[in-house]
Amino acid sequence: MTGLSRTECRSCGAALEAPFLDLGAMPPSNAYLPMEGGVEQSFPLRLRRCPACLLVQIDHDVPPDILFSDYAYFSSYSDSWLAHAQRFAEAAVGRFGLDAHSFVVELASNDGYLLRNFVAAGIPCLGVEPSDTVAAAARAIGVPTEEMFFGRNTAADILARYRPADLIVANNVLAHVPDLNDFVAGIALLLGKEGVLSVEFPHLATMLEKVAFDTVYHEHYSYFSLLAVERCFERHGLFLFDAERLSTHGGSLRLSAGKTPRPATPGLQSVRDEEAVLRLDTPEPYRAFADKVGAVRTGLLAFLTEAKGAGRRVVGYGAAAKGNTLLNYCGVSEADLPFVADRNPHKQNKRLPGSHIPIVVPERIAEARPDYVLILPWNLEAEVTAQLAFVRGWGGRFVTPIPRLRVK
């Protein structure tokens, strides 16, 4: 086992509380295995809360080079995510007055799914992406991309070779950062005086409400409330002024911040009020969450056992990282789920980490004609059921496991 066991908060340095959720030891959720052979490491997966700044975090850090060097997640394989990115880019151009004289930087820019919209609009931009596989895909479609992890030193290098950023976009990356202060300090350094930071992340409040424990995996070092983000950002001279609730990833926040304090929008105040009602600054919501997580496992295993006993076949769809957390926590194996289908060719003909379930092309579903399709990326239920509408032709049904098991 490698990595760092953590007892102090990665944001403010205070001593962490005892774990409130223990999912056991499992391999990194994106460490897909070849069909034959392969070496696998498992690491503890537990959540703790900081009583001082309220940041929720895992307490065992796996080194980033193990997690992200050969990353199998390509954003462009989700149609709904591409549409989300396009809407944001089009709105940002008008809202922030971006043009050919502006400079947009995206951190963890993946395969160019977002920045390609700025390239098409003639707005200078740069992606910063540590994974060589997805960075190469971005460059192949004309998105300038630097292959590196972001932090103070990276920011200084970009600043020396380019210019301050008018817009920095950080979508679903804040949770992936082990050294949170280094990352946020880099943003503060690279952002122009009147520039805007736009950051999106799954909202801790939604994770607790929807029992979305499957968003907990080693690549996600932190789990953010508005309270925790605001305290971290202000420590580095970044001030929030807007918040929007999003449906992405089961329920996310988009926050806007800058170096100059601005009046809070009604959206920002609304999220502050919501978190106050939920009492996220107390231990109670976290204890209740842990109890509900156990109930999800009980429900899924009961369904799989009943289906097998009745001679009905269940297959999976979507070899998503969140699905791997769910399957490994519940102890699901190939005996329960003979395969998982996925559109991403970089995952096909491999096995899921931990459960070792084979990943196949989506066409296998039509060949197998299962009674049930278990949708592992449950947040994309509408998209997946539309893509697989043919399943209903032989009486097949769809199953989502979270926040409770549902069969449709």
Side-chain angles (χ1 to χ4, degrees), residues 52 79 116 129 136 269 276 285 291 309 363 369:
D79 295 336
R116 68 184 192 174
E129 170 57 51
Q269 188 57 50
D291 292 338
E363 288 76 12
R369 297 171 66 89

Side-chain angles (χ1 to χ4, degrees), residues 96 165-166 187-189 191-197 230 233-234 236-242 256-265 268 272:
F96 304 127
D166 298 290
I187 291 174
L189 178 62
L191 190 66
K193 183 179 179 181
E194 301 302 323
V196 172
L197 165 67
E230 193 155 27
F233 279 15
E234 288 189 359
H236 295 280
L238 295 170
F239 302 95
L240 298 178
F241 62 86
D242 190 24
S256 299
K259 290 184 172 181
T260 304
R262 309 183 194 188
T265 65
L268 180 59
R272 285 173 176 160

Side-chain angles (χ1 to χ4, degrees), residues 131-309:
S131 171
D132 53 358
T133 48
V134 290
R139 287 191 290 267
I141 62 170
V143 176
T145 305
E146 299 271 1
E147 196 175 302
M148 57 179 72
F149 287 99
F150 185 78
R152 288 183 182 91
N153 293 339
T154 308
D157 177 55
I158 294 172
L159 197 59
R161 292 186 290 118
Y162 295 89
R163 47 159 290 190
D166 298 290
L167 172 64
I168 295 179
V169 182
N171 288 345
N172 300 302
V173 59
L174 208 58
H176 292 75
V177 178
D179 191 341
L180 186 61
N181 287 304
D182 181 61
F183 188 85
V184 177
I187 291 174
L189 178 62
L190 182 58
L191 190 66
K193 183 179 179 181
E194 301 302 323
V196 172
L197 165 67
S198 179
V199 56
E200 295 180 17
F201 54 85
H203 190 194
L204 176 67
T206 306
M207 183 182 95
L208 298 177
E209 176 190 3
K210 294 189 175 181
V211 203
F213 71 95
D214 56 344
T215 60
V216 179
Y217 39 94
H218 298 100
E219 291 89 340
H220 287 171
Y221 296 94
S222 303
Y223 303 80
F224 292 99
S225 61
L226 175 63
L227 284 167
V229 170
E230 193 155 27
R231 293 177 184 187
C232 177
F233 279 15
E234 288 189 359
R235 192 183 310 123
H236 295 280
L238 295 170
F239 302 95
L240 298 178
F241 62 86
D242 190 24
E244 302 172 65
R245 293 180 178 87
L246 305 173
S247 62
T248 53
H249 296 283
S252 297
L253 289 182
R254 176 187 290 148
L255 303 181
S256 299
K259 290 184 172 181
T260 304
R262 309 183 194 188
T265 65
L268 180 59
Q269 188 57 50
S270 174
V271 177
R272 285 173 176 160
D273 294 342
E274 175 193 6
E275 292 192 352
V277 170
L278 294 174
R279 303 177 67 217
L280 295 186
D281 57 342
T282 71
E284 282 74 17
Y286 308 96
R287 294 174 185 150
F289 173 70
D291 292 338
K292 293 173 184 176
V293 168
V296 168
R297 176 167 60 182
T298 300
L300 177 58
L301 292 178
F303 166 77
L304 292 172
T305 299
E306 181 180 347
K308 184 184 293 186

